[in-house]
Amino acid sequence: MAFPLSAPRGRTARRALVALAGAAGILLATVPASAAPTNPATATEAAELIAARGHDLEALAEEFNEARENLAAQQAAAQAAQVEVERATAVLAEAQQSVRGVARSAYTGSGLNSFQALMISGSADEFVNRMSTLQMVAGHQNELLTVAADANAVAVRAQAELQASAAEAQRQYDAVSGQKVELERQIGEYRAIHDRLSAEEQRAVAAAAATAHASGAAHGSESAGSERASRGERTEPLAAASAPVVADGQAAQVAIDTAMAQRGKPYVWAAGGPKAFDCSGLTQYAFKAAGINLPHSSRMQSQMGRSVARGDLQPGDLVFFYSPVSHVGIYIGNGQMVHAPTSGDVVKVAPVDAVGGYAGARRIAA
């Protein structure tokens, strides 16, 4: 009879606790501080604060995603440990019953005991052999009982450790979730201030423009033409992205095509599609269509595949931003990527350098 549960299960549970503690350190180190809101004096200042808190919210979404991945893994491990405890308990009960059966047979005479062995043995050697057999059977049963008892104890300890890991993962999940409410409140305040200041500034700009129009119409036409040209220069790289993107491999091609098909769908905190996405939710969704499973976490994704130098980027590579990593997009060539930017925005194509804080790239699929 075999008992597969042994010490490694306990070591696995302890490794889970250590890994979870490390993840907790990363999460707590990167959760944005809830600074008291300031009072922006202009719409520009308010917009800057909205953008800053929007980035904080995006980073927090990625921390939430990682906490959610850890929670799911620890809950699954705890459930598996429960199944193992039930199996080990059943094996222990079976071993105990077997030992009791051997003892009962010897006591009632239904089995071969030492007196019977003596009576039916034709010689001293035969008697010794029969007694050795009896002792071997008893010893084997006791050994099975000891192994089963040890396995059961290991399973119970592993279950307790994994349940503790799951509880810690739940605590991290709840803590990160609580940060979201405060950031959204601040964004709402800044947006209200921005809208009020913007309306006031727009009225002032309109009045100034009306005054300037009477004395500088020609200059205004020239400025408008210059502005149109400037807009044309700015939008040209994005227009080029409308051309078909060709990847070197089938999986990368499917991932790119899937991500590009999501353009225009809104960024939603911790969303993984199909109607809305956050940054790692988009990349997870795109690569899943190509048969590649990624965790819903930009930091976790940044540890997969193989590292790619900036100069060696190919369409389909994942590009990462900030330290620690809290944003990801899919490179599509020509210095551009498709990504889900931040709260209030939509999935779209943008230059890789538009985000800032470039942190590296990984090649997940050929």
Side-chain angles (χ1 to χ4, degrees):
M1 186 179 297
F3 302 91
L5 181 63
S6 60
R9 170 69 70 176
R11 290 197 295 271
T12 299
R14 287 189 289 275
R15 284 197 296 269
L17 282 169
V18 172
L20 195 59
I26 293 172
L27 292 177
L28 295 176
T30 55
V31 171
S34 298
T38 58
N39 293 313
T42 67
T44 299
E45 291 179 0
E48 290 173 352
L49 287 170
I50 291 171
R53 289 300 180 268
H55 171 64
D56 288 344
L57 189 61
E58 180 195 4
L60 190 68
E62 290 306 295
E63 292 156 15
F64 172 85
N65 291 336
E66 184 168 348
R68 182 170 56 185
E69 292 277 343
N70 285 331
L71 177 59
Q74 295 306 320
Q75 287 176 335
Q79 290 172 358
Q82 175 62 36
V83 172
E84 189 66 17
V85 166
E86 293 172 357
R87 187 201 68 79
T89 301
V91 171
L92 176 59
E94 180 183 349
Q96 290 171 334
Q97 183 63 33
S98 178
V99 170
R100 283 195 294 266
V102 171
R104 188 183 304 112
S105 296
Y107 180 77
T108 61
S110 58
L112 184 66
N113 56 37
S114 59
F115 178 74
Q116 291 171 323
L118 176 62
M119 295 300 297
I120 64 175
S121 298
S123 66
D125 288 342
E126 185 178 352
F127 172 71
V128 170
N129 289 336
R130 290 183 185 276
M131 288 302 299
S132 297
T133 301
L134 285 174
Q135 292 172 355
M136 183 177 66
V137 170
H140 179 64
Q141 294 299 321
N142 287 328
E143 182 182 349
L144 290 179
L145 180 59
T146 299
V147 171
D150 290 345
N152 182 261
V154 169
V156 170
R157 287 196 301 271
Q159 181 192 32
E161 292 173 351
L162 288 168
Q163 285 177 338
S165 295
E168 174 60 19
Q170 183 69 58
R171 188 194 66 77
Q172 293 176 21
Y173 177 91
D174 294 340
V176 176
S177 299
Q179 294 283 328
K180 175 176 179 283
V181 176
E182 172 62 15
L183 283 173
E184 288 181 330
R185 183 189 67 78
Q186 292 183 26
I187 290 173
E189 286 187 5
Y190 295 147
R191 185 166 285 122
I193 295 173
H194 173 271
D195 292 345
R196 174 175 57 80
L197 292 174
S198 181
E200 294 174 357
E201 291 175 359
Q202 286 174 9
R203 286 193 292 270
V205 169
T211 301
H213 179 73
S215 60
H219 177 70
S221 297
E222 181 181 347
S223 297
S226 175
E227 175 63 18
R228 283 194 297 272
S230 177
R231 285 199 302 268
E233 291 174 1
R234 288 197 301 268
T235 57
E236 183 178 357
L238 296 186
S242 62
V245 178
V246 179
D248 288 342
Q250 179 64 24
Q253 188 68 60
V254 171
I256 290 172
D257 292 344
T258 301
M260 294 289 279
Q262 313 313 312
R263 284 178 295 176
K265 293 183 179 180
Y267 176 100
V268 172
W269 203 79
K275 295 182 178 179
F277 299 90
D278 65 7
C279 66
S280 60
L282 175 66
T283 53
Q284 180 192 50
Y285 184 84
F287 277 89
K288 184 176 181 180
I292 298 173
N293 291 322
L294 300 180
H296 191 161
S297 161
S298 58
R299 193 187 72 83
M300 288 181 170
Q301 290 178 11
S302 71
Q303 298 172 341
M304 302 182 70
R306 63 183 181 87
S307 179
V308 179
R310 179 73 182 265
D312 296 329
L313 283 173
Q314 294 179 4
D317 291 341
L318 293 179
V319 285
F320 299 93
F321 303 87
Y322 308 118
S323 179
V325 170
S326 59
H327 188 69
V328 60
I330 302 177
Y331 187 70
I332 60 172
N334 196 29
Q336 297 178 337
M337 65 179 174
V338 56
H339 70 147
T342 189
S343 179
D345 212 332
V346 298
V347 176
K348 63 184 182 183
V349 169
V352 171
D353 291 328
V355 174
Y358 181 82
R362 308 289 292 189
R363 185 158 299 155
I364 304 298

